[in-house]
Amino acid sequence: MSQNPSPRQIVQQQLPKQAQPGPQASAFAPSNIALCKYWGKRDKALNLPINPSLSVSLGQLGSRTELSPIDGAEDRVILNGEVQSLEGGFAAKVVSFLDLFRQPGSPRLQVDTHNNIPTAAGLASSASGFAALMLAVDKLYNFGLSPEQLSAFARLGSGSASRSIFEGFVEWQMGVRDDGMDSHARPLAQSWPNFRIGLLTLTSAAKSVGSRAGMQRTVDTAHLYQSWPLQAAADLERIHQAIEQQDFELLGATAEQNALSMHATMIASWPPLLYWQPESVAAMQQVWALREQGLPLYFTMDAGPNLKLLFQGQDQQAVLKAFPSLQVVAPFEAA
Amino acid sequence: MSQNPSPRQIVQQQLPKQAQPGPQASAFAPSNIALCKYWGKRDKALNLPINPSLSVSLGQLGSRTELSPIDGAEDRVILNGEVQSLEGGFAAKVVSFLDLFRQPGSPRLQVDTHNNIPTAAGLASSASGFAALMLAVDKLYNFGLSPEQLSAFARLGSGSASRSIFEGFVEWQMGVRDDGMDSHARPLAQSWPNFRIGLLTLTSAAKSVGSRAGMQRTVDTAHLYQSWPLQAAADLERIHQAIEQQDFELLGATAEQNALSMHATMIASWPPLLYWQPESVAAMQQVWALREQGLPLYFTMDAGPNLKLLFQGQDQQAVLKAFPSLQVVAPFEAA
């Protein structure tokens, strides 16, 4: 891995020379929920995945980012109206990401990001955040990058940001190249108008282990992780088939087993990594009970305690009756 | 598998000819808790496992079974004082097991079994039950079977019964023979006087899927199960090492990861197999919080919602303070 080019080298050799920032640029990118999860990296510096993944973007839910050059020696990062410390966390990652694209001496930037995602629902804001940032950078410097480049570069900020560049169903192909330029997402042609996602917020307790660290612990310590790439490959095939045939039960069952298998690899890690809360188990049991009663209702979960329900438009009332606080997203319907 | 000898053929060719039952025989066998779990069969008729396992027997907790010949055309099975229907469940398995050892025309038997195990704690009574039954059969007919034969034959009633033939730490070697006669348990020489097991009863709700069916579903549907035999082999090594060196933290950590990995294979099955209740997650979180505070406390779980805590005698008061309803077993101390 040490012989691989650095992220900055990879980016710089694809940018036009001497790009100067315009006065301002703004872009939006949607959040996305993976039906076949990204879990495990083959290259940590470049966020290259061990398996391909497939997601659905959340339409109007996501991040809007505005960039503008500023005077001074430091960038200025504002998240949901609050100026962030550059010492760590989100702002430090944003500055590192901007540095991939800048020449020394290029002006510092103000990054003003607003997420309209319910933070407590555990939706990864880094995916939409870095995708929106990438789109805004491309506009600000007028780089004219291709969709594939935008996706591959967004990946350098956060793996799943590669998928948030696009709308609808999106596949992130894992790629084989050392520089990762073939590890980018692409949108699928298919639409599914009555597909629904329900965001179920069970708890807003902060995660004790972030998903980046959790992913690494799983890869390093869970014997069962060795079977994960095989599972993901099989699930990806099935999800493609389900989308092709608009077979909702195949889609739901595959996505649910995929998510539970990902959590299984965490549970099999050491120290054990259990993102579930007691409320998570109760909600799963409720979904299974409703399904036993004939309701085609499935769920997926990311590295957190909350469930994302998967169902069809014709069942929305029944699902809302069981989960009154559910926030429903129709990813394929215009707002 | 169809060319293999049947369970009855295997048993009959090893029994002395024309054995007649005595007037009465009684035997006790302990329950056991696996530190490295038995999960998956390579032969369903003979209960031959996919992986070796290692348990600790629970001393005075277990099953006592009394056998006596009776007149009539049918066996009579009494469990904890209640006559059982022969139509299914436990009694039908007992009759099938007795038939392995009997000649046609041999008298029917009364089987009177008492378990002193707290049923709600989810301890498998089939392990101690079939081990006690095997020991009583051997006495009743005066077969004079070897410990290895007793263990291998008890396995035909219930896989983990092979381990309940012995006290203390017990390893069930998986064996390689088609007739399974090398797939029996053996006791380890080591003792560990301050080793403690705490039975934590969280819920007595009946399991919706029995462990025999659950095991099969996992083998058939969980991709991650493919890595389980590797995990079990590594864990068995580590547990042997921990017992050899009386390294409690190594023992506890290995047993806990082993149990969680087994549950992980269930969670990755389809339909999902989750034996946990919300209370199970809360109890796990409590164990992890106590461990973070420095208490060497671990747990294991079988195919059910309850936890079995693992700790040392010197920490018993601290553990009881956190879990006041805990039933503590000292497997290596005389009653």
Side-chain angles (χ1 to χ4, degrees), chain A residues 221 223-224 226-228 230-231 253 256-257 260-261 264-265 267-270 272 274 276-278 281 285 288 291, chain B residues 221 223-224 226-228 230-231 238 253 256-257 260-261 264-265 267-270 272 274 276-278 281 285 288 291:
Chain A
T221 69
H223 283 275
L224 299 191
Q226 294 172 59
S227 299
W228 167 256
L230 201 71
Q231 165 100 42
E256 185 174 312
Q257 191 182 14
L260 286 170
S261 295
T265 67
I267 288 167
S269 300
W270 194 261
L274 182 67
W276 302 349
Q277 294 293 332
V281 168
Q285 290 174 332
W288 294 329
R291 204 157 71 214
Chain B
T221 69
H223 283 273
L224 299 190
Q226 294 171 59
S227 299
W228 166 255
L230 202 72
Q231 164 101 43
R238 272 195 291 265
E256 185 174 310
Q257 193 183 14
L260 286 171
S261 295
T265 67
I267 289 166
S269 300
W270 193 262
L274 182 66
W276 301 350
Q277 294 291 333
V281 168
Q285 290 173 331
W288 294 329
R291 202 155 74 214

Short mmCIF file of all heavy atoms in Angstrom, two decimals, chain A residues 221 223-224 226-228 230-231 253 256-257 260-261 264-265 267-270 272 274 276-278 281 285 288 291, chain B residues 221 223-224 226-228 230-231 238 253 256-257 260-261 264-265 267-270 272 274 276-278 281 285 288 291:
data_model
loop_
_atom_site.label_atom_id
_atom_site.label_comp_id
_atom_site.label_asym_id
_atom_site.label_seq_id
_atom_site.Cartn_x
_atom_site.Cartn_y
_atom_site.Cartn_z
N THR A 221 -10.77 -8.39 13.76
CA THR A 221 -10.98 -9.35 14.85
C THR A 221 -12.09 -10.37 14.64
O THR A 221 -12.16 -11.35 15.40
CB THR A 221 -11.29 -8.62 16.19
OG1 THR A 221 -12.58 -7.99 16.10
CG2 THR A 221 -10.22 -7.57 16.51
N HIS A 223 -13.66 -13.44 13.03
CA HIS A 223 -13.45 -14.56 12.12
C HIS A 223 -14.55 -14.59 11.05
O HIS A 223 -14.29 -14.85 9.89
CB HIS A 223 -13.50 -15.89 12.88
CG HIS A 223 -12.27 -16.19 13.66
ND1 HIS A 223 -11.18 -16.80 13.10
CD2 HIS A 223 -11.97 -15.96 14.94
CE1 HIS A 223 -10.25 -16.95 14.03
NE2 HIS A 223 -10.70 -16.45 15.16
N LEU A 224 -15.77 -14.32 11.48
CA LEU A 224 -16.90 -14.44 10.56
C LEU A 224 -16.82 -13.44 9.42
O LEU A 224 -17.46 -13.63 8.38
CB LEU A 224 -18.24 -14.27 11.29
CG LEU A 224 -18.57 -15.26 12.41
CD1 LEU A 224 -20.03 -15.09 12.83
CD2 LEU A 224 -18.32 -16.70 12.01
N GLN A 226 -14.64 -13.06 7.39
CA GLN A 226 -14.07 -13.69 6.20
C GLN A 226 -15.13 -14.12 5.20
O GLN A 226 -14.85 -14.24 4.01
CB GLN A 226 -13.21 -14.89 6.60
CG GLN A 226 -11.99 -14.48 7.38
CD GLN A 226 -11.25 -15.68 7.95
OE1 GLN A 226 -10.81 -16.54 7.21
NE2 GLN A 226 -11.15 -15.74 9.25
N SER A 227 -16.35 -14.39 5.67
CA SER A 227 -17.41 -14.79 4.75
C SER A 227 -18.22 -13.60 4.23
O SER A 227 -19.10 -13.78 3.39
CB SER A 227 -18.37 -15.77 5.44
OG SER A 227 -17.67 -16.93 5.82
N TRP A 228 -17.94 -12.42 4.76
CA TRP A 228 -18.74 -11.25 4.38
C TRP A 228 -18.65 -10.91 2.88
O TRP A 228 -19.69 -10.65 2.24
CB TRP A 228 -18.36 -10.04 5.24
CG TRP A 228 -18.89 -8.75 4.71
CD1 TRP A 228 -18.18 -7.78 4.07
CD2 TRP A 228 -20.25 -8.30 4.75
NE1 TRP A 228 -19.01 -6.75 3.70
CE2 TRP A 228 -20.29 -7.04 4.11
CE3 TRP A 228 -21.44 -8.85 5.25
CZ2 TRP A 228 -21.46 -6.32 3.96
CZ3 TRP A 228 -22.61 -8.12 5.10
CH2 TRP A 228 -22.62 -6.87 4.47
N LEU A 230 -18.29 -12.69 0.31
CA LEU A 230 -19.11 -13.66 -0.42
C LEU A 230 -20.59 -13.31 -0.30
O LEU A 230 -21.36 -13.34 -1.26
CB LEU A 230 -18.86 -15.03 0.21
CG LEU A 230 -19.16 -16.24 -0.61
CD1 LEU A 230 -18.14 -16.36 -1.73
CD2 LEU A 230 -19.10 -17.49 0.27
N GLN A 231 -20.99 -13.00 0.94
CA GLN A 231 -22.38 -12.61 1.21
C GLN A 231 -22.74 -11.37 0.41
O GLN A 231 -23.79 -11.31 -0.24
CB GLN A 231 -22.49 -12.30 2.70
CG GLN A 231 -23.74 -11.53 3.09
CD GLN A 231 -24.78 -12.42 3.65
OE1 GLN A 231 -24.47 -13.30 4.43
NE2 GLN A 231 -26.02 -12.21 3.28
N ALA A 253 -36.11 -8.76 1.62
CA ALA A 253 -35.48 -9.87 2.33
C ALA A 253 -33.97 -9.82 2.17
O ALA A 253 -33.22 -10.04 3.13
CB ALA A 253 -36.02 -11.20 1.81
N GLU A 256 -32.56 -6.89 4.22
CA GLU A 256 -32.60 -7.14 5.67
C GLU A 256 -31.53 -8.16 6.07
O GLU A 256 -30.81 -7.96 7.06
CB GLU A 256 -33.99 -7.64 6.08
CG GLU A 256 -34.13 -7.81 7.59
CD GLU A 256 -35.56 -8.16 8.01
OE1 GLU A 256 -36.50 -7.48 7.57
OE2 GLU A 256 -35.72 -9.12 8.79
N GLN A 257 -31.40 -9.24 5.29
CA GLN A 257 -30.37 -10.22 5.65
C GLN A 257 -28.97 -9.63 5.52
O GLN A 257 -28.07 -9.91 6.31
CB GLN A 257 -30.49 -11.50 4.81
CG GLN A 257 -29.61 -12.62 5.38
CD GLN A 257 -29.63 -13.91 4.57
OE1 GLN A 257 -30.08 -13.94 3.45
NE2 GLN A 257 -29.10 -14.97 5.17
N LEU A 260 -28.42 -7.44 8.60
CA LEU A 260 -28.23 -8.27 9.81
C LEU A 260 -26.90 -9.01 9.76
O LEU A 260 -26.25 -9.20 10.79
CB LEU A 260 -29.40 -9.24 9.96
CG LEU A 260 -30.71 -8.59 10.42
CD1 LEU A 260 -31.87 -9.59 10.32
CD2 LEU A 260 -30.58 -8.11 11.87
N SER A 261 -26.48 -9.40 8.56
CA SER A 261 -25.19 -10.08 8.44
C SER A 261 -24.05 -9.11 8.75
O SER A 261 -23.06 -9.48 9.38
CB SER A 261 -25.02 -10.67 7.04
OG SER A 261 -25.97 -11.69 6.81
N ALA A 264 -23.99 -8.85 12.31
CA ALA A 264 -23.46 -10.11 12.85
C ALA A 264 -21.93 -10.09 12.87
O ALA A 264 -21.31 -10.54 13.84
CB ALA A 264 -23.96 -11.30 12.02
N THR A 265 -21.32 -9.53 11.83
CA THR A 265 -19.85 -9.47 11.84
C THR A 265 -19.35 -8.55 12.96
O THR A 265 -18.30 -8.81 13.55
CB THR A 265 -19.26 -8.98 10.49
OG1 THR A 265 -19.60 -7.61 10.27
CG2 THR A 265 -19.74 -9.83 9.32
N ILE A 267 -20.98 -8.07 15.86
CA ILE A 267 -21.25 -8.78 17.11
C ILE A 267 -20.19 -9.84 17.35
O ILE A 267 -19.85 -10.16 18.50
CB ILE A 267 -22.68 -9.40 17.03
CG1 ILE A 267 -23.72 -8.28 17.13
CG2 ILE A 267 -22.90 -10.46 18.10
CD1 ILE A 267 -25.13 -8.70 16.74
N ALA A 268 -19.62 -10.38 16.27
CA ALA A 268 -18.59 -11.41 16.38
C ALA A 268 -17.20 -10.82 16.54
O ALA A 268 -16.21 -11.55 16.56
CB ALA A 268 -18.64 -12.32 15.15
N SER A 269 -17.09 -9.50 16.66
CA SER A 269 -15.78 -8.84 16.82
C SER A 269 -15.35 -8.86 18.28
O SER A 269 -16.13 -9.20 19.17
CB SER A 269 -15.87 -7.38 16.35
OG SER A 269 -16.24 -7.31 15.00
N TRP A 270 -14.12 -8.46 18.52
CA TRP A 270 -13.65 -8.34 19.90
C TRP A 270 -12.88 -7.06 20.07
O TRP A 270 -11.98 -6.81 19.31
CB TRP A 270 -12.79 -9.53 20.33
CG TRP A 270 -12.64 -9.50 21.81
CD1 TRP A 270 -11.56 -9.02 22.51
CD2 TRP A 270 -13.61 -9.92 22.78
NE1 TRP A 270 -11.80 -9.12 23.85
CE2 TRP A 270 -13.05 -9.65 24.05
CE3 TRP A 270 -14.89 -10.46 22.69
CZ2 TRP A 270 -13.74 -9.92 25.23
CZ3 TRP A 270 -15.57 -10.74 23.86
CH2 TRP A 270 -14.99 -10.47 25.11
N PRO A 272 -16.70 -6.94 21.68
CA PRO A 272 -17.94 -7.03 20.90
C PRO A 272 -18.45 -5.64 20.53
O PRO A 272 -18.33 -4.69 21.30
CB PRO A 272 -18.93 -7.70 21.87
CG PRO A 272 -18.10 -8.37 22.90
CD PRO A 272 -16.85 -7.55 23.02
N LEU A 274 -21.75 -3.94 19.51
CA LEU A 274 -23.20 -4.07 19.39
C LEU A 274 -23.80 -2.68 19.35
O LEU A 274 -23.84 -1.99 20.35
CB LEU A 274 -23.77 -4.88 20.57
CG LEU A 274 -25.28 -5.12 20.51
CD1 LEU A 274 -25.63 -6.05 19.35
CD2 LEU A 274 -25.79 -5.71 21.82
N TRP A 276 -26.88 -2.13 18.68
CA TRP A 276 -28.29 -2.22 19.03
C TRP A 276 -28.53 -1.79 20.47
O TRP A 276 -27.70 -2.00 21.35
CB TRP A 276 -28.79 -3.65 18.86
CG TRP A 276 -28.64 -4.19 17.49
CD1 TRP A 276 -28.30 -3.50 16.36
CD2 TRP A 276 -28.79 -5.55 17.09
NE1 TRP A 276 -28.25 -4.37 15.29
CE2 TRP A 276 -28.55 -5.62 15.71
CE3 TRP A 276 -29.14 -6.74 17.77
CZ2 TRP A 276 -28.62 -6.81 14.99
CZ3 TRP A 276 -29.21 -7.92 17.05
CH2 TRP A 276 -28.95 -7.95 15.67
N GLN A 277 -29.69 -1.19 20.67
CA GLN A 277 -30.20 -0.93 22.01
C GLN A 277 -31.38 -1.88 22.23
O GLN A 277 -31.88 -2.49 21.28
CB GLN A 277 -30.67 0.54 22.09
CG GLN A 277 -29.55 1.56 21.98
CD GLN A 277 -28.59 1.53 23.17
OE1 GLN A 277 -28.97 1.17 24.27
NE2 GLN A 277 -27.33 1.88 22.93
N PRO A 278 -31.82 -2.02 23.49
CA PRO A 278 -33.01 -2.85 23.72
C PRO A 278 -34.16 -2.46 22.80
O PRO A 278 -34.87 -3.33 22.27
CB PRO A 278 -33.34 -2.58 25.19
CG PRO A 278 -32.01 -2.28 25.82
CD PRO A 278 -31.22 -1.55 24.77
N VAL A 281 -34.05 -4.17 19.36
CA VAL A 281 -34.55 -5.55 19.33
C VAL A 281 -36.07 -5.55 19.35
O VAL A 281 -36.71 -6.30 18.60
CB VAL A 281 -33.97 -6.35 20.53
CG1 VAL A 281 -34.70 -7.68 20.71
CG2 VAL A 281 -32.48 -6.58 20.33
N GLN A 285 -38.45 -7.12 16.40
CA GLN A 285 -39.49 -8.12 16.70
C GLN A 285 -40.84 -7.64 16.20
O GLN A 285 -41.64 -8.44 15.70
CB GLN A 285 -39.52 -8.39 18.21
CG GLN A 285 -38.28 -9.16 18.68
CD GLN A 285 -38.21 -9.31 20.20
OE1 GLN A 285 -38.73 -8.47 20.93
NE2 GLN A 285 -37.56 -10.36 20.66
N TRP A 288 -40.95 -8.18 12.46
CA TRP A 288 -41.13 -9.60 12.13
C TRP A 288 -42.56 -10.07 12.41
O TRP A 288 -43.12 -10.86 11.66
CB TRP A 288 -40.11 -10.46 12.89
CG TRP A 288 -38.70 -10.20 12.47
CD1 TRP A 288 -38.27 -9.82 11.23
CD2 TRP A 288 -37.52 -10.26 13.29
NE1 TRP A 288 -36.90 -9.66 11.23
CE2 TRP A 288 -36.41 -9.93 12.47
CE3 TRP A 288 -37.28 -10.57 14.63
CZ2 TRP A 288 -35.10 -9.89 12.95
CZ3 TRP A 288 -35.97 -10.55 15.11
CH2 TRP A 288 -34.90 -10.21 14.27
N ARG A 291 -44.75 -8.84 9.67
CA ARG A 291 -44.51 -9.61 8.45
C ARG A 291 -45.19 -10.97 8.53
O ARG A 291 -45.75 -11.44 7.54
CB ARG A 291 -43.00 -9.74 8.21
CG ARG A 291 -42.66 -9.98 6.77
CD ARG A 291 -41.25 -9.56 6.46
NE ARG A 291 -40.26 -10.44 7.04
CZ ARG A 291 -39.07 -10.03 7.50
NH1 ARG A 291 -38.75 -8.74 7.46
NH2 ARG A 291 -38.22 -10.88 7.99
N THR B 221 -28.68 -21.46 5.67
CA THR B 221 -28.97 -20.13 5.09
C THR B 221 -27.97 -19.03 5.42
O THR B 221 -28.01 -17.99 4.77
CB THR B 221 -30.37 -19.62 5.52
OG1 THR B 221 -30.33 -19.32 6.93
CG2 THR B 221 -31.46 -20.64 5.24
N HIS B 223 -24.62 -17.29 5.17
CA HIS B 223 -23.30 -17.29 4.51
C HIS B 223 -22.19 -17.28 5.56
O HIS B 223 -21.17 -17.94 5.40
CB HIS B 223 -23.14 -16.05 3.64
CG HIS B 223 -23.87 -16.10 2.35
ND1 HIS B 223 -23.33 -16.66 1.23
CD2 HIS B 223 -25.09 -15.67 2.00
CE1 HIS B 223 -24.19 -16.56 0.23
NE2 HIS B 223 -25.27 -15.95 0.68
N LEU B 224 -22.39 -16.48 6.61
CA LEU B 224 -21.31 -16.31 7.59
C LEU B 224 -20.98 -17.61 8.32
O LEU B 224 -19.91 -17.75 8.89
CB LEU B 224 -21.68 -15.23 8.63
CG LEU B 224 -21.93 -13.81 8.13
CD1 LEU B 224 -22.03 -12.85 9.31
CD2 LEU B 224 -20.84 -13.33 7.17
N GLN B 226 -20.11 -20.22 7.17
CA GLN B 226 -18.93 -20.88 6.57
C GLN B 226 -17.64 -20.61 7.33
O GLN B 226 -16.70 -21.39 7.26
CB GLN B 226 -18.76 -20.42 5.12
CG GLN B 226 -19.91 -20.89 4.24
CD GLN B 226 -19.86 -20.27 2.86
OE1 GLN B 226 -18.89 -20.44 2.14
NE2 GLN B 226 -20.89 -19.55 2.50
N SER B 227 -17.59 -19.50 8.06
CA SER B 227 -16.39 -19.20 8.84
C SER B 227 -16.46 -19.74 10.27
O SER B 227 -15.49 -19.65 11.00
CB SER B 227 -16.17 -17.68 8.90
OG SER B 227 -15.99 -17.16 7.61
N TRP B 228 -17.60 -20.29 10.65
CA TRP B 228 -17.77 -20.74 12.03
C TRP B 228 -16.80 -21.86 12.43
O TRP B 228 -16.20 -21.81 13.53
CB TRP B 228 -19.23 -21.15 12.28
CG TRP B 228 -19.42 -21.92 13.54
CD1 TRP B 228 -19.63 -23.26 13.68
CD2 TRP B 228 -19.38 -21.39 14.89
NE1 TRP B 228 -19.73 -23.60 15.00
CE2 TRP B 228 -19.58 -22.47 15.76
CE3 TRP B 228 -19.18 -20.12 15.42
CZ2 TRP B 228 -19.59 -22.32 17.15
CZ3 TRP B 228 -19.19 -19.97 16.80
CH2 TRP B 228 -19.40 -21.05 17.65
N LEU B 230 -13.85 -22.51 11.56
CA LEU B 230 -12.54 -21.90 11.79
C LEU B 230 -12.49 -21.20 13.14
O LEU B 230 -11.52 -21.30 13.90
CB LEU B 230 -12.33 -20.87 10.68
CG LEU B 230 -10.93 -20.45 10.35
CD1 LEU B 230 -10.23 -21.59 9.63
CD2 LEU B 230 -10.97 -19.22 9.43
N GLN B 231 -13.56 -20.44 13.41
CA GLN B 231 -13.67 -19.73 14.69
C GLN B 231 -13.64 -20.73 15.84
O GLN B 231 -12.92 -20.55 16.84
CB GLN B 231 -14.99 -18.99 14.71
CG GLN B 231 -15.44 -18.53 16.08
CD GLN B 231 -15.16 -17.07 16.29
OE1 GLN B 231 -15.40 -16.28 15.40
NE2 GLN B 231 -14.67 -16.72 17.46
N ARG B 238 -7.60 -21.72 22.29
CA ARG B 238 -7.42 -20.66 23.29
C ARG B 238 -8.00 -21.07 24.64
O ARG B 238 -7.44 -20.74 25.68
CB ARG B 238 -8.10 -19.36 22.81
CG ARG B 238 -7.17 -18.49 21.96
CD ARG B 238 -7.75 -17.08 21.82
NE ARG B 238 -8.96 -17.10 21.00
CZ ARG B 238 -8.97 -16.87 19.70
NH1 ARG B 238 -7.86 -16.56 19.06
NH2 ARG B 238 -10.09 -16.92 19.01
N ALA B 253 -12.95 -14.03 27.78
CA ALA B 253 -13.04 -13.32 26.50
C ALA B 253 -13.30 -14.30 25.36
O ALA B 253 -14.11 -14.03 24.46
CB ALA B 253 -11.75 -12.53 26.25
N GLU B 256 -16.90 -15.63 25.57
CA GLU B 256 -17.89 -14.61 25.19
C GLU B 256 -17.88 -14.38 23.69
O GLU B 256 -18.94 -14.33 23.05
CB GLU B 256 -17.62 -13.30 25.94
CG GLU B 256 -18.69 -12.25 25.68
CD GLU B 256 -18.50 -11.00 26.55
OE1 GLU B 256 -18.33 -11.14 27.77
OE2 GLU B 256 -18.52 -9.88 25.99
N GLN B 257 -16.70 -14.27 23.10
CA GLN B 257 -16.66 -14.07 21.64
C GLN B 257 -17.21 -15.28 20.90
O GLN B 257 -17.88 -15.15 19.88
CB GLN B 257 -15.25 -13.75 21.15
CG GLN B 257 -15.27 -13.22 19.70
CD GLN B 257 -13.91 -12.95 19.10
OE1 GLN B 257 -12.89 -13.36 19.63
NE2 GLN B 257 -13.90 -12.25 17.98
N LEU B 260 -21.03 -15.08 21.17
CA LEU B 260 -21.56 -14.01 20.33
C LEU B 260 -21.41 -14.35 18.85
O LEU B 260 -22.27 -14.00 18.03
CB LEU B 260 -20.86 -12.69 20.66
CG LEU B 260 -21.29 -12.06 21.99
CD1 LEU B 260 -20.39 -10.88 22.35
CD2 LEU B 260 -22.75 -11.60 21.93
N SER B 261 -20.34 -15.04 18.52
CA SER B 261 -20.17 -15.45 17.11
C SER B 261 -21.22 -16.47 16.72
O SER B 261 -21.74 -16.45 15.59
CB SER B 261 -18.76 -16.01 16.89
OG SER B 261 -17.79 -15.01 17.09
N ALA B 264 -24.20 -14.59 16.18
CA ALA B 264 -24.04 -13.84 14.93
C ALA B 264 -24.42 -14.71 13.73
O ALA B 264 -25.07 -14.22 12.80
CB ALA B 264 -22.60 -13.34 14.79
N THR B 265 -24.06 -15.99 13.76
CA THR B 265 -24.44 -16.85 12.62
C THR B 265 -25.96 -17.00 12.55
O THR B 265 -26.53 -17.12 11.47
CB THR B 265 -23.78 -18.24 12.68
OG1 THR B 265 -24.29 -18.99 13.79
CG2 THR B 265 -22.27 -18.15 12.75
N ILE B 267 -28.16 -14.68 13.61
CA ILE B 267 -28.68 -13.38 13.18
C ILE B 267 -28.53 -13.22 11.67
O ILE B 267 -29.34 -12.56 11.02
CB ILE B 267 -27.95 -12.26 13.97
CG1 ILE B 267 -28.42 -12.28 15.43
CG2 ILE B 267 -28.15 -10.88 13.33
CD1 ILE B 267 -27.55 -11.46 16.38
N ALA B 268 -27.50 -13.85 11.12
CA ALA B 268 -27.24 -13.77 9.67
C ALA B 268 -28.02 -14.81 8.88
O ALA B 268 -27.85 -14.92 7.67
CB ALA B 268 -25.74 -13.92 9.41
N SER B 269 -28.89 -15.56 9.55
CA SER B 269 -29.69 -16.59 8.87
C SER B 269 -30.94 -15.97 8.25
O SER B 269 -31.27 -14.82 8.51
CB SER B 269 -30.12 -17.68 9.87
OG SER B 269 -29.00 -18.31 10.44
N TRP B 270 -31.64 -16.77 7.45
CA TRP B 270 -32.91 -16.30 6.91
C TRP B 270 -33.96 -17.38 7.00
O TRP B 270 -33.69 -18.49 6.55
CB TRP B 270 -32.77 -15.83 5.46
CG TRP B 270 -34.00 -15.07 5.06
CD1 TRP B 270 -35.07 -15.56 4.36
CD2 TRP B 270 -34.31 -13.72 5.42
NE1 TRP B 270 -36.02 -14.58 4.25
CE2 TRP B 270 -35.59 -13.46 4.90
CE3 TRP B 270 -33.66 -12.73 6.15
CZ2 TRP B 270 -36.22 -12.22 5.07
CZ3 TRP B 270 -34.27 -11.52 6.32
CH2 TRP B 270 -35.54 -11.26 5.77
N PRO B 272 -34.40 -14.38 9.81
CA PRO B 272 -33.45 -14.08 10.89
C PRO B 272 -33.81 -14.83 12.16
O PRO B 272 -34.98 -15.00 12.49
CB PRO B 272 -33.61 -12.57 11.10
CG PRO B 272 -34.25 -12.06 9.88
CD PRO B 272 -35.08 -13.16 9.33
N LEU B 274 -33.19 -14.57 15.95
CA LEU B 274 -32.69 -13.74 17.05
C LEU B 274 -33.30 -14.25 18.34
O LEU B 274 -34.49 -14.06 18.59
CB LEU B 274 -33.05 -12.26 16.83
CG LEU B 274 -32.53 -11.30 17.90
CD1 LEU B 274 -31.00 -11.23 17.87
CD2 LEU B 274 -33.11 -9.91 17.73
N TRP B 276 -32.37 -13.23 21.22
CA TRP B 276 -32.28 -12.17 22.22
C TRP B 276 -33.60 -11.46 22.40
O TRP B 276 -34.36 -11.27 21.46
CB TRP B 276 -31.22 -11.14 21.81
CG TRP B 276 -29.86 -11.70 21.63
CD1 TRP B 276 -29.42 -12.96 21.97
CD2 TRP B 276 -28.74 -11.03 21.03
NE1 TRP B 276 -28.09 -13.10 21.62
CE2 TRP B 276 -27.65 -11.95 21.05
CE3 TRP B 276 -28.55 -9.77 20.49
CZ2 TRP B 276 -26.39 -11.61 20.54
CZ3 TRP B 276 -27.29 -9.44 19.98
CH2 TRP B 276 -26.24 -10.35 20.02
N GLN B 277 -33.81 -11.04 23.63
CA GLN B 277 -34.90 -10.14 23.96
C GLN B 277 -34.28 -8.78 24.28
O GLN B 277 -33.07 -8.70 24.50
CB GLN B 277 -35.70 -10.68 25.15
CG GLN B 277 -36.43 -11.99 24.87
CD GLN B 277 -37.58 -11.82 23.89
OE1 GLN B 277 -38.16 -10.74 23.78
NE2 GLN B 277 -37.87 -12.87 23.14
N PRO B 278 -35.11 -7.72 24.34
CA PRO B 278 -34.55 -6.42 24.76
C PRO B 278 -33.76 -6.54 26.07
O PRO B 278 -32.70 -5.93 26.22
CB PRO B 278 -35.81 -5.55 24.92
CG PRO B 278 -36.77 -6.10 23.92
CD PRO B 278 -36.53 -7.59 23.92
N VAL B 281 -30.10 -7.61 25.60
CA VAL B 281 -29.19 -6.53 25.21
C VAL B 281 -28.84 -5.65 26.41
O VAL B 281 -27.68 -5.29 26.63
CB VAL B 281 -29.82 -5.69 24.07
CG1 VAL B 281 -29.05 -4.39 23.84
CG2 VAL B 281 -29.87 -6.51 22.78
N GLN B 285 -25.08 -5.11 27.91
CA GLN B 285 -24.52 -3.76 28.10
C GLN B 285 -24.08 -3.56 29.55
O GLN B 285 -23.05 -2.93 29.81
CB GLN B 285 -25.56 -2.71 27.70
CG GLN B 285 -25.79 -2.68 26.19
CD GLN B 285 -26.93 -1.75 25.79
OE1 GLN B 285 -27.87 -1.53 26.56
NE2 GLN B 285 -26.87 -1.21 24.57
N TRP B 288 -20.78 -5.36 29.99
CA TRP B 288 -19.67 -4.61 29.36
C TRP B 288 -19.31 -3.37 30.18
O TRP B 288 -18.13 -3.02 30.29
CB TRP B 288 -20.05 -4.22 27.92
CG TRP B 288 -20.18 -5.42 27.02
CD1 TRP B 288 -19.50 -6.60 27.11
CD2 TRP B 288 -21.07 -5.57 25.90
NE1 TRP B 288 -19.90 -7.47 26.12
CE2 TRP B 288 -20.87 -6.86 25.36
CE3 TRP B 288 -22.02 -4.74 25.31
CZ2 TRP B 288 -21.57 -7.34 24.25
CZ3 TRP B 288 -22.71 -5.21 24.19
CH2 TRP B 288 -22.49 -6.49 23.67
N ARG B 291 -17.31 -4.47 33.13
CA ARG B 291 -15.96 -4.86 32.70
C ARG B 291 -15.11 -3.62 32.45
O ARG B 291 -13.93 -3.59 32.79
CB ARG B 291 -16.05 -5.75 31.47
CG ARG B 291 -14.82 -6.61 31.29
CD ARG B 291 -15.15 -7.85 30.50
NE ARG B 291 -15.34 -7.57 29.09
CZ ARG B 291 -16.22 -8.22 28.31
NH1 ARG B 291 -17.01 -9.16 28.82
NH2 ARG B 291 -16.30 -7.93 27.05
#
